[in-house]
Amino acid sequence: PYLAAAAETTTSALSLLALGGATPSKIAEASESAGSDFEPFLTATIVLSAALGSATPSGGVGLFHSTGMPASSESCPSCSKSGHGHDMLYRRLEELASESRVFAHIAVWTQAFFGRTVDHHTLVYEYFERSRCLMSLKIDWCRDGVSFSESSEDPCPTGDVVMRKCCRLSPAEVRRQIAGVEERPYDLIRWNCRHFCQHFFDQTPEAFAGGRHGSFGA
């Protein structure tokens, strides 16, 4: 059933491309014609992404797309940072460790695209600056690799919190966890942004005994 649905969805998407009519709304309609299965829709999304040239960190298609937004400096002007790649992320985590920062919360945010038919998931670690400014270290995973942004602003202004819990996690431990999967390549079906966020959320112990670990719904 999956292969048949995927083939039907891809055929519909390719037909739209041939006619020069591959728009987000039309590709969504094409995917709906193949049913509600997650994987067939992703197949059509791949085709749309290639056609529109939008599978980039700066703007594009849900699961490929880093939702990192320009960090606002209005609330905490000296604290906004961003970067791309494991090396830059590791350096920032090492800086936070040297400043004795401790992450007090971990959260997973989701941002919807294409009329809420495709979601991008983002991992967020929260900590307090010495000024008591609440900071969010947002980590995104897409086919272009890992990226991060850090700001006192809302990490995903148009998104929603999927799960969140209290923790006491050192930046050094986050670095160790990320290094453990650094060689694992992006995989649309097996290791996308959703899997990435769930993995690190599950790796983080609840700060209070007896607390429940959050998880994605079925």
Side-chain angles (χ1 to χ4, degrees), residues 36-54:
S36 60
D37 287 348
F38 184 60
E39 292 86 350
F41 180 70
L42 293 182
T43 305
T45 305
I46 296 171
V47 176
L48 175 64
S49 174
L52 300 183
S54 58

PDB file of all heavy atoms in Angstrom, residues 36-54:
ATOM      1  N   SER A  36      -3.662   9.631   3.547  1.00  0.00           N
ATOM      2  CA  SER A  36      -3.110  10.434   4.642  1.00  0.00           C
ATOM      3  C   SER A  36      -1.801   9.884   5.188  1.00  0.00           C
ATOM      4  O   SER A  36      -1.305  10.374   6.186  1.00  0.00           O
ATOM      5  CB  SER A  36      -4.137  10.518   5.776  1.00  0.00           C
ATOM      6  OG  SER A  36      -4.453   9.228   6.254  1.00  0.00           O
ATOM      7  N   ASP A  37      -1.247   8.835   4.582  1.00  0.00           N
ATOM      8  CA  ASP A  37       0.009   8.276   5.095  1.00  0.00           C
ATOM      9  C   ASP A  37       1.106   9.317   5.068  1.00  0.00           C
ATOM     10  O   ASP A  37       1.210  10.121   4.153  1.00  0.00           O
ATOM     11  CB  ASP A  37       0.451   7.069   4.249  1.00  0.00           C
ATOM     12  CG  ASP A  37      -0.426   5.851   4.518  1.00  0.00           C
ATOM     13  OD1 ASP A  37      -1.193   5.873   5.497  1.00  0.00           O
ATOM     14  OD2 ASP A  37      -0.330   4.911   3.721  1.00  0.00           O
ATOM     15  N   PHE A  38       1.955   9.299   6.064  1.00  0.00           N
ATOM     16  CA  PHE A  38       3.010  10.299   6.206  1.00  0.00           C
ATOM     17  C   PHE A  38       4.055  10.173   5.101  1.00  0.00           C
ATOM     18  O   PHE A  38       4.410  11.140   4.452  1.00  0.00           O
ATOM     19  CB  PHE A  38       3.664  10.098   7.573  1.00  0.00           C
ATOM     20  CG  PHE A  38       4.716  11.103   7.908  1.00  0.00           C
ATOM     21  CD1 PHE A  38       4.407  12.448   7.979  1.00  0.00           C
ATOM     22  CD2 PHE A  38       6.014  10.702   8.181  1.00  0.00           C
ATOM     23  CE1 PHE A  38       5.364  13.386   8.307  1.00  0.00           C
ATOM     24  CE2 PHE A  38       6.982  11.633   8.511  1.00  0.00           C
ATOM     25  CZ  PHE A  38       6.650  12.971   8.572  1.00  0.00           C
ATOM     26  N   GLU A  39       4.539   8.948   4.842  1.00  0.00           N
ATOM     27  CA  GLU A  39       5.641   8.767   3.908  1.00  0.00           C
ATOM     28  C   GLU A  39       5.298   9.175   2.478  1.00  0.00           C
ATOM     29  O   GLU A  39       6.108   9.837   1.817  1.00  0.00           O
ATOM     30  CB  GLU A  39       6.133   7.308   3.929  1.00  0.00           C
ATOM     31  CG  GLU A  39       6.812   6.920   5.222  1.00  0.00           C
ATOM     32  CD  GLU A  39       5.836   6.443   6.278  1.00  0.00           C
ATOM     33  OE1 GLU A  39       4.609   6.594   6.073  1.00  0.00           O
ATOM     34  OE2 GLU A  39       6.288   5.914   7.306  1.00  0.00           O
ATOM     35  N   PRO A  40       4.112   8.815   1.944  1.00  0.00           N
ATOM     36  CA  PRO A  40       3.798   9.258   0.579  1.00  0.00           C
ATOM     37  C   PRO A  40       3.805  10.764   0.435  1.00  0.00           C
ATOM     38  O   PRO A  40       4.233  11.295  -0.576  1.00  0.00           O
ATOM     39  CB  PRO A  40       2.393   8.676   0.353  1.00  0.00           C
ATOM     40  CG  PRO A  40       2.337   7.486   1.236  1.00  0.00           C
ATOM     41  CD  PRO A  40       3.106   7.876   2.467  1.00  0.00           C
ATOM     42  N   PHE A  41       3.323  11.472   1.458  1.00  0.00           N
ATOM     43  CA  PHE A  41       3.331  12.930   1.366  1.00  0.00           C
ATOM     44  C   PHE A  41       4.761  13.454   1.316  1.00  0.00           C
ATOM     45  O   PHE A  41       5.061  14.408   0.604  1.00  0.00           O
ATOM     46  CB  PHE A  41       2.595  13.545   2.549  1.00  0.00           C
ATOM     47  CG  PHE A  41       2.577  15.046   2.492  1.00  0.00           C
ATOM     48  CD1 PHE A  41       1.827  15.700   1.535  1.00  0.00           C
ATOM     49  CD2 PHE A  41       3.359  15.792   3.345  1.00  0.00           C
ATOM     50  CE1 PHE A  41       1.825  17.071   1.456  1.00  0.00           C
ATOM     51  CE2 PHE A  41       3.370  17.160   3.270  1.00  0.00           C
ATOM     52  CZ  PHE A  41       2.597  17.807   2.325  1.00  0.00           C
ATOM     53  N   LEU A  42       5.662  12.809   2.055  1.00  0.00           N
ATOM     54  CA  LEU A  42       7.048  13.244   2.033  1.00  0.00           C
ATOM     55  C   LEU A  42       7.645  13.065   0.644  1.00  0.00           C
ATOM     56  O   LEU A  42       8.448  13.872   0.196  1.00  0.00           O
ATOM     57  CB  LEU A  42       7.871  12.442   3.049  1.00  0.00           C
ATOM     58  CG  LEU A  42       7.523  12.686   4.513  1.00  0.00           C
ATOM     59  CD1 LEU A  42       8.452  11.858   5.403  1.00  0.00           C
ATOM     60  CD2 LEU A  42       7.631  14.146   4.871  1.00  0.00           C
ATOM     61  N   THR A  43       7.260  12.004  -0.033  1.00  0.00           N
ATOM     62  CA  THR A  43       7.754  11.780  -1.389  1.00  0.00           C
ATOM     63  C   THR A  43       7.381  12.955  -2.284  1.00  0.00           C
ATOM     64  O   THR A  43       8.205  13.473  -3.038  1.00  0.00           O
ATOM     65  CB  THR A  43       7.154  10.480  -1.962  1.00  0.00           C
ATOM     66  OG1 THR A  43       7.449   9.409  -1.069  1.00  0.00           O
ATOM     67  CG2 THR A  43       7.736  10.179  -3.330  1.00  0.00           C
ATOM     68  N   ALA A  44       6.133  13.392  -2.195  1.00  0.00           N
ATOM     69  CA  ALA A  44       5.702  14.539  -2.990  1.00  0.00           C
ATOM     70  C   ALA A  44       6.415  15.810  -2.559  1.00  0.00           C
ATOM     71  O   ALA A  44       6.739  16.663  -3.377  1.00  0.00           O
ATOM     72  CB  ALA A  44       4.186  14.725  -2.839  1.00  0.00           C
ATOM     73  N   THR A  45       6.686  15.922  -1.259  1.00  0.00           N
ATOM     74  CA  THR A  45       7.369  17.100  -0.749  1.00  0.00           C
ATOM     75  C   THR A  45       8.785  17.200  -1.306  1.00  0.00           C
ATOM     76  O   THR A  45       9.271  18.284  -1.609  1.00  0.00           O
ATOM     77  CB  THR A  45       7.431  17.067   0.791  1.00  0.00           C
ATOM     78  OG1 THR A  45       6.118  16.914   1.302  1.00  0.00           O
ATOM     79  CG2 THR A  45       8.028  18.354   1.336  1.00  0.00           C
ATOM     80  N   ILE A  46       9.449  16.057  -1.465  1.00  0.00           N
ATOM     81  CA  ILE A  46      10.794  16.047  -2.046  1.00  0.00           C
ATOM     82  C   ILE A  46      10.751  16.634  -3.449  1.00  0.00           C
ATOM     83  O   ILE A  46      11.570  17.459  -3.827  1.00  0.00           O
ATOM     84  CB  ILE A  46      11.365  14.613  -2.086  1.00  0.00           C
ATOM     85  CG1 ILE A  46      11.551  14.077  -0.667  1.00  0.00           C
ATOM     86  CG2 ILE A  46      12.697  14.585  -2.821  1.00  0.00           C
ATOM     87  CD1 ILE A  46      11.905  12.610  -0.630  1.00  0.00           C
ATOM     88  N   VAL A  47       9.772  16.187  -4.212  1.00  0.00           N
ATOM     89  CA  VAL A  47       9.649  16.659  -5.583  1.00  0.00           C
ATOM     90  C   VAL A  47       9.409  18.165  -5.607  1.00  0.00           C
ATOM     91  O   VAL A  47      10.024  18.906  -6.366  1.00  0.00           O
ATOM     92  CB  VAL A  47       8.498  15.918  -6.300  1.00  0.00           C
ATOM     93  CG1 VAL A  47       8.293  16.480  -7.700  1.00  0.00           C
ATOM     94  CG2 VAL A  47       8.809  14.427  -6.373  1.00  0.00           C
ATOM     95  N   LEU A  48       8.515  18.638  -4.756  1.00  0.00           N
ATOM     96  CA  LEU A  48       8.229  20.067  -4.702  1.00  0.00           C
ATOM     97  C   LEU A  48       9.462  20.850  -4.283  1.00  0.00           C
ATOM     98  O   LEU A  48       9.765  21.900  -4.842  1.00  0.00           O
ATOM     99  CB  LEU A  48       7.094  20.335  -3.720  1.00  0.00           C
ATOM    100  CG  LEU A  48       6.773  21.817  -3.471  1.00  0.00           C
ATOM    101  CD1 LEU A  48       6.278  22.462  -4.755  1.00  0.00           C
ATOM    102  CD2 LEU A  48       5.741  21.962  -2.368  1.00  0.00           C
ATOM    103  N   SER A  49      10.171  20.330  -3.318  1.00  0.00           N
ATOM    104  CA  SER A  49      11.364  21.013  -2.829  1.00  0.00           C
ATOM    105  C   SER A  49      12.372  21.212  -3.947  1.00  0.00           C
ATOM    106  O   SER A  49      12.929  22.290  -4.122  1.00  0.00           O
ATOM    107  CB  SER A  49      11.995  20.199  -1.696  1.00  0.00           C
ATOM    108  OG  SER A  49      13.205  20.776  -1.307  1.00  0.00           O
ATOM    109  N   ALA A  50      12.594  20.161  -4.736  1.00  0.00           N
ATOM    110  CA  ALA A  50      13.550  20.257  -5.838  1.00  0.00           C
ATOM    111  C   ALA A  50      13.065  21.239  -6.904  1.00  0.00           C
ATOM    112  O   ALA A  50      13.834  22.012  -7.467  1.00  0.00           O
ATOM    113  CB  ALA A  50      13.767  18.872  -6.446  1.00  0.00           C
ATOM    114  N   ALA A  51      11.763  21.214  -7.139  1.00  0.00           N
ATOM    115  CA  ALA A  51      11.213  22.067  -8.193  1.00  0.00           C
ATOM    116  C   ALA A  51      11.286  23.543  -7.837  1.00  0.00           C
ATOM    117  O   ALA A  51      11.600  24.375  -8.674  1.00  0.00           O
ATOM    118  CB  ALA A  51       9.753  21.683  -8.449  1.00  0.00           C
ATOM    119  N   LEU A  52      10.988  23.860  -6.600  1.00  0.00           N
ATOM    120  CA  LEU A  52      10.957  25.257  -6.188  1.00  0.00           C
ATOM    121  C   LEU A  52      12.306  25.764  -5.726  1.00  0.00           C
ATOM    122  O   LEU A  52      12.476  26.947  -5.458  1.00  0.00           O
ATOM    123  CB  LEU A  52       9.928  25.443  -5.065  1.00  0.00           C
ATOM    124  CG  LEU A  52       8.482  25.076  -5.419  1.00  0.00           C
ATOM    125  CD1 LEU A  52       7.583  25.372  -4.233  1.00  0.00           C
ATOM    126  CD2 LEU A  52       8.006  25.840  -6.645  1.00  0.00           C
ATOM    127  N   GLY A  53      13.283  24.851  -5.599  1.00  0.00           N
ATOM    128  CA  GLY A  53      14.605  25.252  -5.135  1.00  0.00           C
ATOM    129  C   GLY A  53      14.572  25.819  -3.739  1.00  0.00           C
ATOM    130  O   GLY A  53      15.320  26.723  -3.391  1.00  0.00           O
ATOM    131  N   SER A  54      13.670  25.287  -2.901  1.00  0.00           N
ATOM    132  CA  SER A  54      13.433  25.901  -1.599  1.00  0.00           C
ATOM    133  C   SER A  54      13.948  25.070  -0.442  1.00  0.00           C
ATOM    134  O   SER A  54      13.737  25.434   0.698  1.00  0.00           O
ATOM    135  CB  SER A  54      11.935  26.124  -1.406  1.00  0.00           C
ATOM    136  OG  SER A  54      11.237  24.900  -1.520  1.00  0.00           O
TER     137      SER A  54
END
